[in-house]
Amino acid sequence: MRKILLAEDDPNLGEILKDYLELKGKFDVRLCQDGEEALRAFGKEDFDLCILDVMMPKKDGFSLGKEIRKLNENVPIIFATAKGMMEDKTEAFNLGGDDYITKPFRVEELLLRIHALLKRSSFQERGVEEELPVRFDLGEYNFDYTAQLISRHGQQQKLSTKEAELLRMLCLKKNDVLTREEALIKIWHDDNYFNGRSMDVFLSKLRKYLKEDSKVEIVNVHGKGYKLLVG
C-alpha cells in the first residue's frame, strides 16, 4: 500500500481527503494539521507522495516543501492552495514541487494527479522510461504519433500536438473508455469548463479525419468519457 503524507490545517477538508484517498485510492494516508507536525512525520516515516497545503500555521506549505526536499530529493510533492497567482505556482515548482492544484478542487482530479505522479516516479526509480506504442493501425488508417500523421491510401493528415496526444490516449484504450477527466488532466492539465469545450473541438476534428472508414468511430460514453471503436 502506497503511503501519502497529507498536510492540511482544515480538519473537515483533511478528513474528507483522507477518507476518499484511502477508500478510492487504496492509500495509507497520514493526516497532519500543521507544517511542523508534518515535518516530524516525514522525518520518522517513509512516504511515497506528499500533498501540502500552502496556507498552514506554524510552518507554511512552501517552507515545509523546502525542508522535505532537503531530506528527500525525489518524493513527489503536490502543493494545494486557494492561491492561484502565477507567482505562487512558480514558487511551488522552484521549490521542487511536482504539481500544483488550486482550491476548490475535485477530489477525483486530485486522485488522477496522484496516480500520474506515482506512475512516473515508479519508472524513474527503476531507471527506465515508460515505453508506449507510437504507431497504431486503425482500420484503413495508420497513425504515427511521433510524426503526428494520419495516413490512408497514400493521403496524409497532419495533426496538431494536442490532436496527436488525444488520439494516442484513445488508441491506448481502444474499445475501452477514456474518461473525460483523465484526458483533460493529462493533456490540458486542468479539467475546467473552458478546457472541456476546447477538447470537444479537438474530438470533432479527429472524427472528421477518421470519417472515411465506417469501422472507425469515436463515440461518447454518457457521463464517463469517450471510446475509440475499431471494427
Side-chain angles (χ1 to χ4, degrees):
M1 184 179 292
R2 310 300 286 272
K3 195 167 185 178
I4 292 177
L5 173 64
L6 172 60
E8 171 58 61
D9 68 322
D10 182 331
N12 292 326
L13 177 59
E15 288 297 336
I16 289 172
L17 294 177
K18 182 178 187 296
D19 290 346
Y20 183 88
L21 294 177
E22 289 183 339
L23 178 64
K24 297 292 185 178
K26 308 301 181 185
F27 297 115
D28 178 9
V29 181
R30 174 79 151 82
L31 174 60
C32 300
Q33 294 188 356
D34 65 66
E36 290 185 356
E37 179 188 357
L39 184 58
R40 288 194 298 271
F42 191 86
K44 296 177 181 178
E45 305 173 49
D46 293 324
F47 293 97
D48 297 289
L49 181 139
C50 301
I51 304 168
L52 311 180
D53 180 34
V54 172
M55 303 297 289
M56 287 190 297
K58 299 184 180 180
K59 186 183 291 289
D60 66 86
F62 286 153
S63 299
L64 173 59
K66 190 174 182 179
E67 293 295 324
I68 286 176
R69 273 289 168 258
K70 292 179 182 178
L71 298 171
N72 188 314
E73 295 181 355
N74 300 315
V75 64
I77 297 176
I78 300 175
F79 287 105
T81 179
K83 300 169 68 177
M85 300 295 289
M86 182 54 67
E87 54 265 31
D88 297 315
K89 296 181 180 181
T90 301
E91 183 175 1
F93 290 115
N94 285 340
L95 287 171
D98 297 275
D99 206 346
Y100 186 106
I101 190 166
T102 304
K103 296 178 180 178
F105 55 81
R106 295 171 57 187
V107 288
E108 295 89 349
E109 177 184 347
L110 177 62
L111 185 58
L112 283 171
R113 291 174 183 264
I114 290 170
H115 282 312
L117 284 175
L118 289 176
K119 185 176 182 180
R120 188 176 73 190
S121 65
S122 67
F123 278 103
Q124 290 173 342
E125 287 169 5
R126 294 200 300 267
V128 299
E129 293 185 0
E130 183 179 11
E131 294 185 3
L132 296 175
V134 295
R135 294 178 181 270
F136 303 89
D137 293 323
L138 306 173
E140 297 177 2
Y141 294 95
N142 299 111
F143 169 43
D144 186 328
Y145 167 74
T146 304
Q148 297 181 196
L149 284 175
I150 296 176
S151 304
R152 176 180 176 269
H153 302 331
Q155 301 294 316
Q156 293 184 333
Q157 173 64 54
K158 182 68 174 178
L159 302 182
S160 69
T161 298
K162 279 188 168 58
E163 288 170 348
E165 290 282 359
L166 185 55
L167 183 55
R168 188 193 198 195
M169 291 189 73
L170 287 163
C171 289
L172 291 171
K173 293 205 168 189
K174 186 173 67 175
N175 297 323
D176 199 0
V177 176
L178 170 65
T179 67
R180 189 174 178 85
E181 291 81 6
E182 183 179 357
L184 285 169
I185 294 300
K186 181 71 178 293
I187 301 173
W188 278 266
H189 309 296
D190 195 325
D191 65 344
N192 63 47
Y193 171 81
F194 298 102
N195 288 338
R197 293 303 300 271
S198 174
M199 184 169 70
D200 290 338
V201 173
F202 283 100
L203 283 165
S204 296
K205 290 182 178 180
L206 290 177
R207 289 185 174 110
K208 181 179 178 181
Y209 300 152
L210 300 170
K211 69 179 182 179
E212 298 301 325
D213 187 347
S214 60
K215 294 181 180 179
V216 181
E217 186 179 10
I218 300 172
V219 300
N220 292 339
V221 180
H222 182 69
K224 293 183 179 180
Y226 312 96
K227 185 183 292 189
L228 174 63
L229 298 177
V230 180

